[in-house]
Amino acid sequence: MSTKEYNDCVRTHADAIFRFLLKNTANRADAEDLMQLTFEKLWKKKDVVAAEKARSYAFSIAHHSMIDMIRRKKFVRAYENVPERAGGEFIEQFESRDLVHQCLHVLSPIQKSVLMMRDYEGYSYDEIAEMAELSLSQVKVYIFRARKKLRAEITRVSQAV
C-alpha cells in the first residue's frame, strides 16, 4: 500500500473505526488512543497490507487493541447519555436507544464487539470473522447469543421500570 493509499484509507475509514471504538469503550480518550494506535500499526504494516484489505485490517487491529485494553482495564460499561428533552417519536427513539445502551453491559467484550460490528457498522458475517479472527460459525454464535442475552436484559429492565 502506498502512502497515498494509506492516507485515503485513514480519510475513508477513520470515522467508522472511531465510532466502533467509542461505542465499545464508552470513553472518548480511550477511543482516540486506540484509533491512533490502530493507524500507527497500519502504517508500520503498510508495505505488507494490500490497499483493498486495508479496511478490514484496520478494523482487525482496532478490535484486537480494544479487547486488549478492556482486558487490561476490565472495563465494561454502558454508553452515552441521551438528551432528556425532545418531542414525540424523537423521545421514544432515544429512550429505546438508551435502554439498549444501558443493557449492553451484560455482554462479554467479544459479544459486544461482534454485535457492534454487525448491527452498528453493518459488516457482513464474513468480514467480522476476518477482522475478529474467528470462524464464521463462531461469529454467528456470538451474535445470536449476544442478541438473546441483550433481549433478556432489556425485557428485565423494562419490566422493572
Side-chain angles (χ1 to χ4, degrees):
M1 169 172 29
S2 69
T3 303
K4 181 191 179 314
E5 290 170 327
Y6 170 82
N7 289 334
D8 289 342
C9 176
V10 172
R11 262 190 302 281
T12 306
H13 305 300
D15 288 341
I17 291 172
F18 181 74
R19 278 192 317 272
F20 169 74
L21 292 169
L22 185 60
K23 287 281 187 194
N24 280 286
T25 62
N27 183 309
R28 187 173 200 83
D30 286 341
E32 289 170 351
D33 290 345
L34 287 168
M35 193 166 94
Q36 182 174 356
L37 180 65
T38 297
F39 286 111
E40 177 185 346
K41 287 181 178 181
L42 181 62
W43 175 256
K44 289 178 181 176
K45 297 283 187 174
K46 73 177 178 57
D47 295 329
V48 181
V49 178
E52 57 274 359
K53 295 285 187 179
R55 174 182 172 221
S56 63
Y57 192 81
F59 263 94
S60 293
I61 294 169
H63 173 260
H64 291 294
S65 299
M66 178 194 62
I67 294 296
D68 290 345
M69 183 208 65
I70 289 171
R71 285 182 181 149
R72 273 193 310 271
K73 289 185 167 190
K74 297 194 190 262
F75 181 159
V76 180
R77 293 256 326 136
Y79 295 96
E80 39 189 58
N81 295 325
V82 177
E84 290 182 27
R85 298 195 182 264
E89 290 178 23
F90 191 69
I91 290 176
E92 291 175 18
Q93 176 188 358
F94 277 103
E95 286 175 350
S96 298
R97 184 174 166 192
D98 189 37
L99 181 60
V100 170
H101 289 271
Q102 286 175 8
C103 295
L104 284 172
H105 73 280
V106 300
L107 302 179
S108 69
I110 189 69
Q111 286 176 327
K112 189 184 308 182
S113 180
V114 295
L115 186 67
M116 292 291 175
M117 281 191 237
R118 177 72 181 158
D119 293 343
Y120 280 87
E121 297 299 328
Y123 286 103
S124 71
Y125 291 112
D126 292 325
E127 290 172 319
I128 296 168
E130 184 180 332
M131 288 185 273
E133 294 180 357
L134 299 168
S135 70
L136 185 59
S137 60
Q138 285 176 307
V139 169
K140 290 178 180 180
V141 168
Y142 279 130
I143 291 173
F144 174 80
R145 290 181 181 166
R147 287 177 178 158
K148 186 175 177 181
K149 193 185 272 187
L150 191 58
R151 188 177 306 116
E153 181 67 8
I154 289 170
T155 302
R156 187 190 67 75
V157 170
S158 297
Q159 290 174 348
V161 175

